[in-house]
């Protein structure tokens, strides 16, 4: 079975998407998602993206059209980091990670697959998920948690999700305890929905000061949005003159699209015409990782005056 099969099972059986009394057949349900899929695709044509994710049909279209590729993207990004030998010291029996802008959490799927391949010693993953539309994405996160993850990883998943707007000042202050307890911080495919770059830069500055020694910040995003490159450039400049981070930025990299599109989707949803074309080409993306190495470089606590 493939990742698409697990997603289809979730759409059919979660009780939040396909309804046999309404849609009759699942094929008809997929056909009903053609217009939402077109709407979603068109919304991503703008430099700054704004989507109404509360619509369950939009979420279903996202789960089928984008989610498999983004889960596969995470797996490939972390496979690169695995080959760079920066992950081994982070992989304890319990691994706590913060996912920012994660929506339905394809990143957790990709990471869980990596754990199943290379890091079987990790028995529990504590996923702290933050998104501006956290409540809206709850239906899709349930598919991730109940139908996808159990099929690809045998460990225990502890899920925490909260609303967070990275464009609001000091939004990370309340997460200080979770930040101090986490080993990896992931931002993937979310920078194009940011509307306040200066505030986000301040929040990133807070994060790089607060993350514990040995931890890893990973940002991977599509390179066809100019502001994504701007944000990554600014973040690199914030860190480049410090002595407590190792920067790994290979530039623009090609990530393979997820293969094996099931015939039922190809015949009823991504039919190959009119904005309903399945992705087959590689995904060009920006990628940077920041590995915090020196615990004594920066004094975080305020000095009494």
């Amino acid at each position: 079975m493939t990742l698409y099969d697990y997603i289809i099972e979730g759409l059919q059986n979660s009780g939040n998407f396909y309804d046999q009394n309404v849609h009759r057949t699942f094929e008809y349900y997929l056909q009903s998602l053609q217009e939402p899929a077109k709407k979603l695709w068109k919304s991503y044509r703008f430099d700054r993206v704004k989507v109404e994710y509360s619509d369950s049909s939009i979420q279903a279209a996202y789960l089928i059209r984008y989610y498999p590729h983004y889960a596969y993207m995470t797996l490939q990004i972390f496979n690169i980091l695995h080959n760079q030998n920066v992950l081994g010291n982070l992989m304890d029996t319990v691994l706590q990670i913060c996912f920012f802008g994660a929506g339905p959490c394809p990143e957790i799927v990709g990471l869980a697959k990596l754990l199943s391949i290379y890091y079987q010693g990790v028995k529990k993953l504590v996923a702290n998920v933050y998104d501006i539309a956290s409540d809206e994405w709850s239906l899709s996160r349930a598919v991730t948690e109940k139908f996808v993850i159990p099929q690809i990883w045998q460990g225990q998943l502890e899920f925490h999700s909260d609303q967070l707007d990275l464009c609001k000042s000091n939004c990370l202050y309340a997460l200080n305890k979770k930040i101090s307890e986490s080993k990896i911080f992931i931002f993937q495919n979310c920078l194009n929905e940011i509307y306040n770059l200066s505030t986000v830069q301040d929040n990133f500055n807070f994060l790089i000061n607060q993350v514990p020694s040995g931890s890893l910040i990973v940002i991977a995003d599509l390179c066809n949005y100019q502001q994504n490159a701007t944000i990554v450039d600014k973040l690199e400049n914030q860190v480049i003159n410090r002595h407590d981070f190792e920067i790994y930025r290979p530039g623009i990299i090609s990530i393979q699209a997820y293969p094996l599109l099931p015939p039922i989707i190809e015949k009823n949803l991504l039919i190959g015409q009119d904005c309903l074309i399945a992705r087959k080409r590689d995904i060009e993306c920006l990628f940077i990782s920041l590995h915090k190495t020196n615990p004594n470089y920066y004094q975080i606590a305020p000095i009494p005056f």
Side-chain angles (χ1 to χ4, degrees), residues 261-276:
L261 185 70
I264 190 173
I265 294 176
E266 194 169 16
K267 292 178 181 178
N268 295 285
L269 178 53
L270 301 180
I271 56 177
Q273 61 188 34
D274 193 18
C275 307
L276 295 172

Side-chain angles (χ1 to χ4, degrees), residues 119-138:
Y119 301 103
Q120 292 91 348
V122 177
K123 303 302 182 184
K124 180 178 180 179
L125 174 60
V126 180
N128 302 308
V129 179
Y130 304 104
D131 194 280
I132 191 173
S134 177
D135 292 342
E136 289 90 332
W137 278 115
S138 61

Side-chain angles (χ1 to χ4, degrees), residues 191 194 197 200 204 227-236:
L191 302 184
I194 284 173
L197 299 187
V200 169
F204 270 127
Q227 80 169 26
N228 293 356
T230 299
I231 292 170
V232 171
D233 287 343
K234 287 181 178 294
L235 178 61
E236 184 176 20

Side-chain angles (χ1 to χ4, degrees), residues 73 77 187-190 218-222 285-288:
M73 178 177 173
I77 290 290
F187 299 79
Q188 182 178 297
N189 298 333
C190 62
V218 179
I219 298 178
D221 217 310
L222 306 180
C285 75
L286 303 165
F287 167 39
I288 186 172

Side-chain angles (χ1 to χ4, degrees), residues 26 28 36 200 225:
F26 190 70
Y28 182 80
V200 169
Y225 297 94

Side-chain angles (χ1 to χ4, degrees), residues 11 23 30 92 103 124 131 153 171 174 198 200 219-220 226-227 231 241 261:
L11 292 175
H23 304 109
L30 290 175
D92 295 329
K124 180 178 180 179
D131 194 280
W153 184 57
C171 68
S198 61
V200 169
I219 298 178
Q226 179 56 46
Q227 80 169 26
I231 292 170
N241 292 321
L261 185 70

Side-chain angles (χ1 to χ4, degrees), residues 73-237:
M73 178 177 173
T74 305
L75 175 60
Q76 292 174 76
I77 290 290
F78 273 84
N79 191 60
I80 293 172
L81 293 171
H82 167 76
N83 291 331
Q84 292 289 320
N85 297 315
V86 298
L87 296 179
N89 291 333
L90 302 175
M91 298 299 174
D92 295 329
T93 303
V94 178
L95 176 61
Q96 187 162 180
I97 300 181
C98 291
F99 299 85
F100 295 92
C105 303
E107 301 90 339
I108 297 179
V109 175
L111 189 64
K113 183 63 176 180
L114 185 94
L115 297 180
S116 72
I117 299 171
Y118 297 119
Y119 301 103
Q120 292 91 348
V122 177
K123 303 302 182 184
K124 180 178 180 179
L125 174 60
V126 180
N128 302 308
V129 179
Y130 304 104
D131 194 280
I132 191 173
S134 177
D135 292 342
E136 289 90 332
W137 278 115
S138 61
L139 304 182
S140 294
R141 282 200 308 273
V143 172
T144 297
E145 183 177 8
K146 298 175 182 178
F147 293 91
V148 181
I149 294 293
Q151 298 294 333
I152 63 174
W153 184 57
Q154 301 306 307
Q156 178 186 354
L157 175 62
E158 183 177 316
F159 226 120
H160 305 282
S161 59
D162 288 293
Q163 185 168 334
L164 180 77
D165 185 354
L166 279 170
C167 295
K168 290 188 176 180
S169 297
N170 305 325
C171 68
L172 298 179
Y173 283 23
L175 310 183
N176 215 1
K177 187 174 187 298
K178 291 287 180 65
I179 291 172
S180 68
E181 295 171 345
S182 298
K183 295 291 186 69
I184 302 175
F185 305 83
I186 300 175
F187 299 79
Q188 182 178 297
N189 298 333
C190 62
L191 302 184
N192 57 350
E193 299 191 34
I194 284 173
Y195 58 87
N196 188 336
L197 299 187
S198 61
T199 300
V200 169
Q201 187 175 356
D202 291 339
N203 288 328
F204 270 127
N205 192 55
F206 175 82
L207 183 66
I208 62 179
N209 288 331
Q210 297 299 109
V211 297
S213 175
S215 63
L216 191 67
I217 300 173
V218 179
I219 298 178
D221 217 310
L222 306 180
C223 65
N224 54 331
Y225 297 94
Q226 179 56 46
Q227 80 169 26
N228 293 356
T230 299
I231 292 170
V232 171
D233 287 343
K234 287 181 178 294
L235 178 61
E236 184 176 20
N237 289 335

Side-chain angles (χ1 to χ4, degrees), residues 13 22 50 57 59 64 70 92 101 115 148 151 213 250 272 295:
N13 299 320
V22 175
K50 185 174 179 59
S57 63
Q59 289 192 40
I64 294 173
Y70 294 161
D92 295 329
L115 297 180
V148 181
Q151 298 294 333
S213 175

